[in-house]
Amino acid sequence: MEARILFVAPFASLARLAEEVVVERFADSAHLIKVVKGDLQECIAIVKQAVEDGVEVIISRGGTATLIKNSVNIPTVHIQVTVMDVLRALRNCGEYPEKIGIAGFENVIYGCEDLATLLGITFVEITLKNEGEALEKITAAVQDGVELIIGDAISTKLAARVGVQGALIQSGKEAIYKAINEAELIARIRREEQEKSELLCTVIDTSVEGIIATDINDRITIFNPMAEKIFQVSHLEAIGNHLQTVIPQFSLPGNDDSSEKVADVQRIGDKTLTIKHSEIKVKDEVIGSIYNLQHVSQLQELEQNVRKKLHAKGLVAKIKMTDIVGSSPACNALKRKATKYALTQSTILITGESGTGKEMLVQSIHNVSIRANGPFVAVNCAAFPESLLESELFGYAEGAFTGAKKGGRQGLFELAHGGTLFLDEIGEMPLSLQSRLLRVLQEKAIMHLGGESVIPVDVRIVAATNQNLAQLIEEKNFRQDLYYRLNILRIHMPTLRERIEDIPLLAKEMIKKMNHINGKIAGIHIDAREYLKQRDWPGNIRQLANTMERAMLLANGPTITKQDIIEAYDEEGESIGESSKVKGKTKDSLAMVEYDTLLRVLGEEEFNYSRAAARLGIHRTTLWRKLNSKVAKK
């Protein structure tokens, strides 16, 4: 490590004495202290080279110290002349006169009047400010009766020239020790300050925010690289100039009592920025300001990344459109419509009986959409009581209610920002929350429960229900205005009755996915497949999956037989369909159900017989015949 302290001795004896002090008292740090001899003619060149080499503090005395201090911009420690130093100089003279001149720069002669009083002699102070005036002042002192000049090296040389005795004041070890000790303290403090300064500069220079600091007159003192990038202005052009001269459109904060505030979003040129202003204070006195600036788009991106990292688990749609099993006309029509709707940003309402796979469809819609990289958040509106559902959807502020989490909590709308929010069983949502949901859909912003600020959200809503919302509206259990907000795009999930030809494909896929239940099962017999197509599936795909799981456990061979299916189906117990028959449902009533279904699908397809027939998996002529035969019977 290079020396941090340079001791410049004007004469050889001082250099030798300093080296002794370093060895005796500063052994641990001796490698950081360098002692050199250098008089007025050569000291500046020595010091400048030392500064380039990393020296942090200079030690010297007398005129040499003053010259060094005025020549370089680093701390210079003056070796102070002590009473003992003056006494030693007088003793070396033997007999000394009553009137003695003590000459030198202020740092040499300061305090000598006290010594004169103690010794009963007269000291004439000859204060020198520079070498040029030394001869004149010493000559004048001699003419005034001074018979002995004591002082620094310059003064004693000039005394000999004017014909009087001169005595050199030599610094003792105690003065040298104090000077080195002070220099070490200064070097340590300076190093600590440099480290803090470098740390601060690194933080400012590497900040992702633009940072601008100004003095009390709004003149720029700091203009970091990000600020340069934002405003396309070099810090060399900015520093020292008034903030509004450099950035004319910049809106300075008003004169209020607030020492810190987040300014409104400002439009500066073609950029939209958020600006945070803070006052810089020293002991309650304002000495300047600091501004933190960020692009709004940068904040939005950061917010999205934070949300992704914090809430990625469980907020991902895993199902793709290709995962939806089925090749029936109804299933193909469903996938075509869903793919087209997915490419829009409009709200989608999905209707259909329980167990038809509504959430699978919603996940696949999310993965086709431009929001595929955003979060997918699903909530069952029937699974929460009203108070809990409200806080889940909209979040809450700290202290909003007893037991509220410290710091509050984000709601599902915020978690779904930039993605899709799936509201399952929307028909079960309480009326009070329906009004809040309607407001979110209209304003695209939410407010925390117990909060006061409005939070913008960018969320696509997909809702699903197995209920008849029109009937709920008539019963005053669902808001009509919300219904029209949700029912922009509508998809009806076909039941297994409407896609019978897909049942074998679904069964085969289920065997593959549930292979862990019975790894010996390789397939399903054709008779079993036909039997599955003949049965009623009021629980739809969910009921079929339960039956297939039982059949896999009951099967004895590698192939599921018809008998395995019969046993598995019988274990279903009294199904919804069977219960209806026990209650007296006749063939005529089943025909009525069929007629209602045909009519409903036709209405949903805006009485387009071709589309309705495709959904139902029957020919257009068959649809027309079934509807007209029923009308004829009426």
Side-chain angles (χ1 to χ4, degrees), residues 105 149 242 425 488:
F105 292 84
I149 300 290
H242 194 279
E425 304 291 356
I488 297 174

Side-chain angles (χ1 to χ4, degrees), residues 39-285:
D39 58 19
L40 285 174
Q41 284 72 38
E42 57 191 7
C43 70
I44 298 305
I46 294 171
V47 167
K48 286 183 176 179
Q49 182 59 51
V51 171
E52 289 183 10
D53 294 339
V55 164
E56 298 172 354
V57 185
I58 306 290
I59 303 173
S60 192
R61 59 162 274 172
T64 305
T66 300
L67 182 62
I68 291 171
K69 183 178 180 180
N70 295 332
S71 302
V72 292
N73 190 28
I74 65 170
T76 302
V77 175
H78 294 257
I79 302 173
Q80 297 298 323
V81 173
T82 67
V83 171
M84 291 299 298
D85 296 334
V86 175
L87 287 174
R88 275 194 292 269
L90 291 174
R91 187 188 62 181
N92 292 336
C93 295
E95 294 290 331
Y96 50 84
E98 291 184 1
K99 196 170 186 178
I100 300 171
I102 182 163
F105 292 84
E106 284 185 326
N107 56 2
V108 174
I109 66 175
Y110 177 73
C112 286
E113 62 273 10
D114 293 334
L115 180 61
T117 302
L118 290 172
L119 296 176
I121 58 177
T122 301
F123 271 133
V124 177
E125 292 184 2
I126 308 171
T127 306
L128 306 178
K129 293 183 178 179
N130 56 66
E131 189 177 4
E133 67 178 15
L135 180 60
E136 180 183 346
K137 286 192 172 185
I138 289 175
T139 301
V142 171
Q143 291 174 350
D144 193 39
V146 170
E147 302 176 41
L148 171 65
I149 300 290
I150 63 172
D152 58 13
I154 297 171
S155 304
T156 54
K157 286 180 182 178
L158 294 175
R161 286 177 59 182
V162 296
V164 297
Q165 184 181 2
L168 179 66
I169 299 177
Q170 301 214 36
S171 297
K173 285 187 174 182
E174 68 278 5
I176 295 171
Y177 169 75
K178 288 179 181 179
I180 296 176
N181 216 35
E182 183 181 348
E184 279 198 330
L185 177 62
I186 292 172
R188 184 172 70 252
I189 293 173
R190 193 164 185 259
R191 177 59 60 93
E192 290 173 356
E193 290 300 319
Q194 284 178 336
E195 289 175 357
K196 290 178 183 178
S197 177
E198 288 296 328
L199 175 61
L200 180 60
C201 288
T202 301
V203 170
I204 291 173
D205 289 346
T206 59
S207 173
V208 296
E209 295 183 348
I211 298 176
I212 301 174
T214 60
D215 61 17
I216 193 65
N217 297 314
D218 293 320
R219 294 191 176 277
I220 297 173
T221 56
I222 294 174
F223 202 81
N224 80 334
M226 184 54 71
E228 291 181 312
K229 184 176 180 181
I230 291 172
F231 298 110
Q232 296 297 301
V233 175
S234 166
H235 71 282
L236 297 175
E237 301 173 62
I239 291 177
N241 292 314
H242 194 279
L243 179 56
Q244 287 188 309
T245 301
V246 177
I247 312 168
Q249 293 173 287
F250 196 97
S251 178
L252 292 173
N255 295 321
D256 54 28
D257 295 332
S258 173
S259 63
E260 180 174 318
K261 69 177 183 179
V262 177
D264 292 335
V265 174
Q266 290 190 25
R267 184 77 181 175
I268 300 178
D270 60 347
K271 304 171 184 67
T272 303
L273 307 172
T274 58
I275 301 174
K276 180 179 180 181
H277 164 247
S278 302
E279 291 180 343
I280 304 172
K281 292 185 176 182
V282 176
K283 293 184 178 180
D284 295 328
E285 180 184 354

